[in-house]
Amino acid sequence: MKNLIKLMVMLIPVWALSGCIMAVNNVNKGYQFPVEKNEGVLLASITQAGFGARTAISSTYYFRNIETGKKHRISISPSLLPGLGSNSDFSSDYGKVVAVNLPAGDYEFNSWRASNNQVALTPGYLLPAGFTIEKGKATYVGNIYAQIRSMKNLFGISVLGDVEVSFLDKLQRDLPVITSLYPFVNNQNLTVKIAHEGAWPIDIERLKANQAQ
């Protein structure tokens, strides 16, 4: 399985990953669900550990509206300034909570990217991780966790090597942070739908088909 993961990860320049991706911002602390709009909120936490997690590596997670095809992303970027690498929402883990307002409908996470401003890793073959946004509801899709590993380059220097991404149920840890940052979340409007339990799975059939070509 590890060999398959290495095969499906491509090392590419960061500039090649730009495109028509809609960057979504967190809702503000005073947000209220608009009565006149068919809108809900995506809740998640993004955390990362390992090589450069607090100081150098940015991670981005891409998702889309299945009906319209509209693309979105959520991300985490550690501070590059000395002494400011621990700007985290959590005491023991490095990461943050995100809350994004979206039209109600079905969505799926379909890719990720990890970069250090020079090169980036992105997977080639992932099974989609789906979730649904309901009108007037805040949907918690889990903790998106990246374990970052290094490798040695030709000069013996440690560089970005590979990344394993998982979806975890960390609601017990995340909820106090969520309600502190976003008071509109409560027992009546919170729904939990973990996008996928465990490591983000590879689409093995699609990978094998590509290798056979």
Side-chain angles (χ1 to χ4, degrees), residues 11-99:
L11 189 63
I12 60 180
V14 174
W15 57 262
L17 292 164
S18 61
C20 297
I21 304 293
M22 179 69 175
V24 288
N25 298 316
N26 285 358
V27 301
N28 59 41
K29 192 167 186 177
Y31 175 86
Q32 296 292 327
F33 293 105
V35 177
E36 70 281 4
K37 291 185 179 180
N38 188 28
E39 182 177 288
V41 169
L42 162 70
L43 293 174
S45 61
I46 306 173
T47 57
Q48 54 190 37
F51 174 76
R54 290 177 177 263
T55 58
I57 306 300
S58 298
S59 56
T60 302
Y61 301 94
Y62 300 93
F63 62 98
R64 71 182 187 96
N65 183 301
I66 294 175
E67 181 180 0
T68 67
K70 188 173 182 179
K71 300 175 182 179
H72 305 273
R73 69 186 179 203
I74 53 177
S75 62
I76 181 172
S77 297
S79 171
L80 299 180
L81 298 177
L84 296 179
S86 59
N87 53 333
S88 173
D89 285 343
F90 308 103
S91 58
S92 58
D93 301 300
Y94 180 75
K96 68 176 183 179
V97 165
V98 295

Side-chain angles (χ1 to χ4, degrees), residues 98-109:
V98 295
V100 178
N101 60 311
L102 296 166
D106 294 324
Y107 293 79
E108 62 182 19
F109 285 98

Side-chain angles (χ1 to χ4, degrees), residues 93-170:
D93 301 300
Y94 180 75
K96 68 176 183 179
V97 165
V98 295
V100 178
N101 60 311
L102 296 166
D106 294 324
Y107 293 79
E108 62 182 19
F109 285 98
N110 52 20
S111 191
W112 55 260
R113 180 185 74 182
S115 69
N116 63 354
N117 292 323
Q118 295 175 336
V119 294
L121 292 177
T122 187
Y125 304 94
L126 288 174
L127 289 172
F131 61 95
T132 299
I133 297 296
E134 302 176 53
K135 180 180 179 180
K137 294 285 187 179
T139 301
Y140 175 76
V141 300
N143 168 228
I144 310 175
Y145 170 73
Q147 179 63 48
I148 305 167
R149 301 180 181 88
S150 65
M151 66 179 184
K152 299 289 187 180
N153 64 14
L154 294 176
F155 304 100
I157 300 172
S158 294
V159 296
L160 178 61
D162 62 47
V163 180
E164 181 178 345
V165 175
S166 301
F167 290 91
L168 307 174
D169 186 351
K170 292 288 186 177

